[in-house]
Amino acid sequence: MATPDRGSAVTGRVLVPSDRTRAGIVKRLGQATAKMTTATLAAMEERHPWFSDLDAEHRSWITVVARSGIDGFVQWFADDPENPFDPLTVFNVAPRALARNITLHQTVDLVRTTIDVVEEQIALLAARGDRPVLETAIVHYSREVAFGAAEVYAQAAEVRGAWDARLEALVVDSIMRAEADEAMVSRASTLGWTSGQKVFVAVGHVSSEAGDPTQAVRHRAGKLGVDVLTAIQGDRLVLVASSPGITEEHAAVGLVDQLQDFFGPGHIVVGELVDDLVEAPRSARSASSGLKASRAWPEGARALAAAELLPERALSGDGHARRMLANDIYLPLQAAGGDLLETVVAFLDHSGSVEATGRALYVHANTVRYRLKRIQDVTGYSPTDARDAYALRLAITLGRLL
């Protein structure tokens, strides 16, 4: 037997240069392939419980692959220039669907068991003089098959990855276009989306210095235990997220803060929390409106809740924001009574002075302070905070107009 050169590819011709000798070994080896296949399938059933759990169709295809692998060994060893061996042919005999139903780990089990059984059968069935060269050959052949299996699964992963990216972009587009329905939810579930948790949409700009950040966002979110759908739409990076731990708006903003490195310059606006994916367009609408209006408040934090931008959104033409200011601030103040509406107007008109407000209303300063506290309890906005006072003033103006 020739000694293979470590720097060159090992083939049957390298191991046995003589065509006549090699042909004799190939003939004798071919007579044992049926027994080798039978022994391989018996070993698969004995050693791997998952094999017995497969349905009849998939078991039959694995039988075909195992037989193809053993026949491939004969072909590889024969090393006929007119009939060259391609390791992909071992797996191409089965439909591509097999790669989606048989995991890479199970394929490794299949290849390893087949090679082990062939080695065992060589010791039992091969002529004594053929055994040394065949034992060396099966080692080199197993390397070829292993690379072939890796290529099959790499190709399948690329195809699946491209399909998943297109499907994910379609789901995100449906949400942004307010076309979410049960069919869209079904598509999201194929991407691993989990229903039954609060959902929000965040929108920011895409960095011009980096490539596609979506894969990195998914990876980071996965480590944080968050389901995400993400896509690039023009110059915007859209993130749809959900997690059992996100039940309040500040938690959603905190999560986006941890993902801000994947966004470009400018604000990242977090839409309102909604109950499920079908309602996500409402969150997307507020996030998109907020991003558009956020340039009017450059002093704001990097990650912002859309609700924090209600004044800017209202002034930029967002009808939903105008109605929210009127309905959630003005009307509750009006309904609360106790002169709260009159007090907040007087307080704002007198530049936030408690004493001046008391004199204007003919009440004690402590009464003004009590009413200011009540205003915050009713609306969630404090008249003594400059930013909140801005929102209160605009809400009162819009409420009177609307």
Side-chain angles (χ1 to χ4, degrees), residues 146-214:
F147 280 122
E151 185 171 346
V152 167
Y153 277 85
Q155 291 174 353
E158 288 176 0
V159 171
R160 178 60 186 266
W163 170 252
D164 283 355
R166 289 193 294 270
L167 185 60
E168 185 171 9
L170 180 63
V171 171
V172 172
D173 185 63
S174 297
I175 292 171
M176 299 304 291
R177 291 161 59 91
E179 296 176 352
D181 54 21
E182 291 302 326
M184 182 273 295
V185 175
S186 177
R187 296 188 191 101
S189 67
T190 66
L191 297 168
W193 182 268
T194 304
S195 301
Q197 300 164 169
K198 292 287 188 180
V199 179
F200 71 88
V201 177
V203 182
H205 295 291
V206 177
S207 174
S208 59
E209 299 178 358
D212 185 347
T214 54

Side-chain angles (χ1 to χ4, degrees), residues 54-211:
L54 294 175
D55 57 41
E57 180 183 5
H58 288 119
R59 284 167 61 93
S60 67
W61 279 119
I62 286 184
T63 302
V64 172
V65 172
R67 179 57 189 262
S68 177
I70 294 171
D71 290 343
F73 175 50
V74 178
Q75 183 185 359
W76 177 86
F77 188 78
D79 201 3
D80 183 355
E82 296 182 2
N83 187 25
F85 171 73
D86 181 355
L88 289 182
T89 59
V90 172
F91 303 96
N92 286 345
V93 295
R96 288 291 175 181
L98 188 65
R100 294 194 294 269
N101 291 279
I102 306 299
T103 67
L104 180 58
H105 179 74
Q106 291 170 338
T107 302
V108 171
D109 285 344
L110 169 62
V111 172
R112 181 186 290 118
T113 301
T114 302
I115 298 302
D116 288 346
V117 171
V118 170
E119 287 181 331
E120 295 166 2
Q121 293 298 306
I122 285 172
L124 294 173
L125 303 176
R128 187 179 298 274
D130 295 344
R131 291 174 191 172
V133 69
L134 289 177
E135 289 170 352
T136 301
I138 192 63
V139 172
H140 291 288
Y141 173 73
S142 64
R143 177 177 179 272
E144 298 291 332
V145 175
F147 280 122
E151 185 171 346
V152 167
Y153 277 85
Q155 291 174 353
E158 288 176 0
V159 171
R160 178 60 186 266
W163 170 252
D164 283 355
R166 289 193 294 270
L167 185 60
E168 185 171 9
L170 180 63
V171 171
V172 172
D173 185 63
S174 297
I175 292 171
M176 299 304 291
R177 291 161 59 91
E179 296 176 352
D181 54 21
E182 291 302 326
M184 182 273 295
V185 175
S186 177
R187 296 188 191 101
S189 67
T190 66
L191 297 168
W193 182 268
T194 304
S195 301
Q197 300 164 169
K198 292 287 188 180
V199 179
F200 71 88
V201 177
V203 182
H205 295 291
V206 177
S207 174
S208 59
E209 299 178 358

Side-chain angles (χ1 to χ4, degrees), residues 329 344 347-348 369 371-393:
I329 298 178
V344 70
F347 184 76
L348 297 175
R369 293 188 181 94
R371 291 179 182 177
L372 294 178
K373 179 64 170 63
R374 284 278 295 133
I375 290 166
Q376 183 175 1
D377 292 341
V378 169
T379 67
Y381 290 80
S382 171
T384 60
D385 178 86
R387 177 71 187 175
D388 286 1
Y390 174 47
L392 285 165
R393 172 68 80 182

Side-chain angles (χ1 to χ4, degrees), residues 229-351:
L229 299 169
T230 182
I232 294 174
Q233 294 193 328
D235 64 344
R236 302 183 305 175
L237 176 60
V238 180
L239 178 74
V240 183
S242 177
S243 170
I246 300 176
T247 57
E248 297 182 357
E249 197 172 78
H250 70 85
V253 174
L255 170 65
V256 172
D257 251 334
Q258 297 182 69
L259 301 174
Q260 63 173 288
D261 293 344
F262 303 108
F263 289 82
H267 295 296
I268 309 162
V269 181
V270 180
E272 61 189 279
L273 282 176
V274 294
D275 290 332
D276 53 47
L277 203 58
V278 174
E279 296 183 13
R282 194 169 81 241
S283 181
R285 182 176 59 237
S286 61
S288 297
S289 170
L291 184 65
K292 176 184 175 183
S294 64
R295 64 179 181 270
W297 190 28
E299 300 81 10
R302 167 91 156 129
L304 284 167
E308 296 181 75
L309 290 158
L310 279 176
E312 288 77 15
R313 289 167 55 194
L315 292 172
S316 70
D318 184 345
H320 293 284
R322 290 197 296 268
R323 285 188 289 274
M324 286 180 69
L325 284 169
N327 295 336
D328 296 346
I329 298 178
Y330 176 75
L331 291 181
L333 278 175
Q334 192 178 53
D339 298 321
L340 296 188
L341 185 58
E342 181 185 13
T343 300
V344 70
V345 170
F347 184 76
L348 297 175
D349 285 346
H350 290 85
S351 304

Side-chain angles (χ1 to χ4, degrees), residues 346-363:
F347 184 76
L348 297 175
D349 285 346
H350 290 85
S351 304
S353 170
V354 172
E355 289 75 15
T357 302
R359 286 193 297 271
L361 298 176
Y362 303 104
V363 296

